[in-house]
Amino acid sequence: MAIHKLDLGEFDEIDYHLIAIHTSLEDYRLAYFINQKLPINLGKSKNEIQINIKEGETNFSRFYYYDNKNVISWNLIQNKNEVIQHKNGNSQNLFSNIKMEVSTKVYLLPELKKVDYFLKIENLEETMELTEIQSILNKIESISTAYTVETNKIKSKNNLIF
């Protein structure tokens, strides 16, 4: 009888690059400007990224493009969102019958709270292309800054598996 072993080290390998984007643009506007500057066509994905936390669950918007020619996958992902909880007033006072909405900020990658969006690029071979993509993104007028993130230093990188 043959014995098969799985080496878990093979699954730890990260085959994507991550660019952090700081901007005040809405996600669809940012995708539009990126499509104009880069040779890609990001479109709204029906498969949003769902995160469950103790306050509730939330979905992060996602724009997706797959380049068949170069076999590269592009994802523009929202980093900030809100979870709204509905609570009833418990006290016996003037406001006891009022339903309250409590909003809590949630982050896809909590260690990078100041980042508005991430551009996740899978199967990009050359790092030279990555610096070129980064400089193109920095030329977009509405983007404050765009820079690469070292994926090895991210604690919550499991949120980027989708």
Side-chain angles (χ1 to χ4, degrees):
M1 174 151 66
I3 297 174
H4 297 284
K5 288 186 177 180
L6 285 175
D7 183 16
L8 295 178
E10 293 176 14
F11 297 111
D12 267 355
E13 188 175 316
I14 297 173
D15 63 342
Y16 61 86
H17 298 281
L18 200 63
I19 298 177
I21 300 173
H22 294 263
T23 183
S24 59
L25 288 174
E26 292 290 326
D27 53 2
Y28 63 92
R29 300 265 302 148
L30 179 60
Y32 173 77
F33 288 127
I34 291 173
N35 287 342
Q36 283 186 325
K37 299 292 182 181
L38 293 173
I40 61 175
N41 188 17
L42 291 167
K44 180 86 169 157
S45 174
K46 294 177 185 173
N47 302 325
E48 292 185 333
I49 301 163
Q50 186 176 19
I51 301 289
N52 293 318
I53 56 169
K54 62 183 178 187
E55 290 87 7
E57 72 178 42
T58 187
N59 293 324
F60 293 93
S61 70
R62 175 181 171 211
F63 286 76
Y64 179 75
Y65 173 70
Y66 183 73
D67 184 358
N68 288 320
K69 181 181 174 188
N70 299 315
V71 192
I72 299 174
S73 178
W74 300 76
N75 286 283
L76 178 66
I77 313 152
Q78 176 185 22
N79 187 41
K80 300 176 183 179
N81 208 347
E82 290 185 347
V83 173
I84 298 175
Q85 294 175 295
H86 299 281
K87 294 184 178 182
N88 291 330
N90 294 338
S91 60
Q92 295 294 326
N93 61 20
L94 183 61
F95 303 105
S96 62
N97 293 333
I98 295 177
K99 290 185 179 182
M100 296 185 298
E101 287 187 355
V102 178
S103 175
T104 307
K105 277 261 192 216
V106 181
Y107 302 93
L108 183 67
L109 299 180
E111 57 269 23
L112 298 167
K113 290 182 178 180
K114 296 192 184 246
V115 176
D116 297 306
Y117 297 95
F118 292 105
L119 186 62
K120 179 183 174 189
I121 308 167
E122 297 178 53
N123 301 326
L124 186 67
E125 296 297 323
E126 299 176 26
T127 55
M128 185 63 181
E129 287 182 31
L130 186 66
T131 56
E132 187 179 328
I133 291 167
Q134 181 183 332
S135 71
I136 289 170
L137 290 174
N138 278 317
K139 290 178 185 171
I140 296 175
E141 191 174 310
S142 302
I143 293 180
S144 304
T145 186
Y147 53 90
T148 57
V149 175
E150 288 188 41
T151 51
N152 297 332
K153 295 183 179 180
I154 300 173
K155 294 177 186 171
S156 56
K157 61 182 137 201
N158 287 342
N159 291 349
L160 293 172
I161 299 172
F162 45 86

